[in-house]
Amino acid sequence: EHSVMYVWQWQFGLTYTVIGRTWDEFINFKNRIISLIPDGITLCSFVHNLSYEFQFFRGIYDFRTEDVFALSKRKVLKACMWDKLEFRCSYLHSNMGLNEYTHKFGAEHAKLSGEDFDYKMLRFPCTPLTEEEYGYCTNDVLGLVETIMIEMELENDNLYTFPLTSTGYVRRDAKEAMRHISRWFVKGQLPDLHTYEMCREAFRGGNTHANRFYSGVKLHNVKSADRSSSYPDVLCNCLFPVSQFFHAGVVTFDELQELINVRKKAVLMRITLTNVRLRDPFWGCPYLSKDKCRNIRAGLYDNGRILEAEYLETTMTDIDFKILLEEYDFDDCVPFDGSQARYGKLPRPLIEVIVKN
């Protein structure tokens, strides 16, 4: 199957809606627009789901690396073309579909119902469009421009300050709140290169894993529980490292236990484990990840998780270490590169921003 251009529309302010049917018409119109834009000036346009349209744009334009700002593969946030056009993704900005976005902000020309446009119908540039279909296309771009302008007015923004993503508003509030915190405190949290590299090594996502004894088996009478608003709860109520990490170097296992359990320090460490194995061979969610360990010898794995190993090296935090002791036995544990920091609450102004948002 192939996608075929059969209509395109481009809204300029609230006054002009330009509609075409072919790529040639689009390119000719684009050329006329570019010829009218003075040097040093960029025309900014919003596209709802730019990642999709980008796959067509790259067929008519040879993008340079610096022209594209992508959050990940095929997730395009911003793209610049011909040095005078900038396309931004309003979908990634709003985290909402066009229908929800335009209706939320009360746009006069909100997206029309899908009943007004049959998306299953095969159309080509020569396919006649009804007035209703043209109206549907016009509302898409006019409603989007109205919504962007309403949101800018509500937040007192312009094209220079308008956040590229929805989290930009929260980041802006957080930065403003942290302006009231003394500069030495913020500067004191910045890690040196060694600490940063250890943080990257220790970083891991959520602990999700299929139980190897039940994978592919249909289970009945299963119950689950979810925790509401867990992230803001943890940020507001839990402790975090609030000082610069101090390099302790090589520490003994007993000294490590004292740092974590007695002195209640935040610890970042590289360790070696010898003859490590699960305490309970039937435990369904082993914690140690093959991807986060190094120099593994004689490893036995469960879909990327370590069941046992003759030897391995890894980087972890004090939180990981407590889980390790609960789940695994080992013959020897040597923390050969350790750092410690003080635990404390996040700054009060930052907590207040989290509560507000």
Side-chain angles (χ1 to χ4, degrees):
E1 294 184 354
H2 294 271
S3 295
V4 178
M5 161 83 80
Y6 66 87
V7 68
W8 58 267
Q9 56 272 10
W10 199 340
Q11 183 69 34
F12 293 84
L14 302 179
T15 308
Y16 301 104
T17 307
V18 179
I19 296 181
R21 302 295 304 274
T22 67
W23 277 109
D24 284 340
E25 290 177 343
F26 176 83
I27 292 172
N28 289 334
F29 179 72
K30 173 269 301 181
N31 289 337
R32 294 177 63 185
I33 290 294
I34 288 178
S35 68
L36 298 173
I37 300 176
D39 291 339
I41 300 297
T42 302
L43 175 66
C44 178
S45 299
F46 289 89
V47 181
H48 214 71
N49 197 2
L50 178 60
S51 302
Y52 177 80
E53 305 297 347
F54 180 82
Q55 303 308 318
F56 299 98
F57 278 154
R58 68 189 183 94
I60 64 168
Y61 184 75
D62 187 15
F63 284 97
R64 300 165 298 181
T65 302
E66 60 269 23
D67 291 333
V68 182
F69 180 20
L71 301 181
S72 59
K73 284 185 177 180
R74 298 178 182 83
K75 199 170 185 180
V76 180
L77 186 59
K78 185 173 71 171
C80 298
M81 304 170 70
W82 296 286
D83 295 323
K84 291 190 176 182
L85 300 180
E86 177 181 294
F87 294 99
R88 300 184 188 178
C89 184
S90 51
Y91 174 68
L92 292 178
H93 163 81
S94 63
N95 265 344
M96 289 180 272
L98 186 57
N99 179 50
E100 182 184 359
Y101 189 36
T102 54
H103 281 87
K104 176 183 178 180
F105 285 92
E108 181 182 349
H109 298 85
K111 184 174 179 63
L112 296 176
S113 167
E115 298 174 358
D116 301 309
F117 201 92
D118 183 5
Y119 277 100
K120 295 181 180 180
M121 179 179 173
L122 187 63
R123 296 182 178 88
F124 297 96
C126 57
T127 304
L129 297 180
T130 66
E131 288 298 319
E132 288 76 16
E133 289 171 327
Y134 275 120
Y136 184 90
C137 295
T138 300
N139 263 49
D140 273 3
V141 289
L142 181 54
L144 177 59
V145 170
E146 288 175 344
T147 304
I148 294 290
M149 294 178 72
I150 292 171
E151 190 173 9
M152 281 187 177
E153 185 175 355
L154 289 174
E155 298 292 338
N156 196 28
D157 275 316
N158 54 44
L159 288 174
Y160 291 100
T161 62
F162 197 59
L164 290 175
T165 65
S166 56
T167 55
Y169 292 109
V170 180
R171 283 198 299 271
R172 186 163 63 186
D173 291 344
K175 287 180 180 178
E176 182 61 31
M178 293 301 289
R179 291 181 192 277
H180 303 293
I181 303 299
S182 56
R183 185 173 299 178
W184 65 265
F185 176 85
V186 177
K187 190 175 181 180
Q189 311 309 304
L190 299 178
D192 57 28
L193 178 60
H194 182 74
T195 302
Y196 174 77
E197 290 174 341
M198 290 183 67
C199 286
R200 293 296 301 174
E201 292 172 9
F203 176 81
R204 60 180 291 156
N207 190 30
T208 58
H209 188 72
N211 189 315
R212 61 191 179 282
F213 300 109
Y214 295 101
S215 181
V217 179
K218 184 180 290 186
L219 303 176
H220 302 277
N221 299 320
V222 174
K223 294 182 179 180
S224 65
D226 192 16
R227 187 178 179 189
S228 178
S229 302
S230 181
Y231 280 112
D233 166 43
V234 170
L235 289 168
C236 293
N237 298 311
C238 293
L239 303 179
F240 292 84
V242 291
S243 71
Q244 205 163 33
F245 274 91
F246 169 73
H247 299 298
V250 178
V251 295
T252 66
F253 183 80
D254 291 338
E255 288 172 339
L256 180 61
Q257 292 273 55
E258 181 182 355
L259 278 175
I260 295 174
N261 299 316
V262 179
R263 298 176 61 189
K264 305 297 182 182
K265 295 293 185 178
V267 176
L268 188 61
M269 57 191 152
R270 293 186 176 115
I271 65 171
T272 67
L273 296 172
T274 304
N275 193 22
V276 60
R277 66 274 182 193
L278 280 175
R279 285 190 166 188
D280 178 1
F282 298 104
W283 180 243
C285 189
Y287 190 71
L288 286 176
S289 171
K290 178 183 177 182
D291 182 58
K292 289 296 180 179
C293 296
R294 304 175 294 275
N295 302 321
I296 304 172
R297 294 202 299 262
L300 180 62
Y301 310 106
D302 166 34
N303 193 23
R305 299 299 180 89
I306 296 177
L307 301 175
E308 61 181 62
E310 184 179 290
Y311 175 88
L312 63 81
E313 299 172 8
T314 189
T315 307
M316 60 175 56
T317 67
D318 53 291
I319 299 172
D320 301 315
F321 187 71
K322 290 177 182 178
I323 299 174
L324 172 73
L325 296 182
E326 289 179 359
E327 294 190 11
Y328 291 89
D329 282 325
F330 41 81
D331 290 351
D332 195 18
C333 172
V334 180
F336 64 91
D337 190 355
S339 298
Q340 60 169 299
R342 178 172 57 85
Y343 267 124
K345 296 291 288 290
L346 293 177
R348 173 54 56 182
L350 184 59
I351 292 177
E352 291 174 354
V353 167
I354 295 168
V355 172
K356 176 184 175 182
N357 286 277

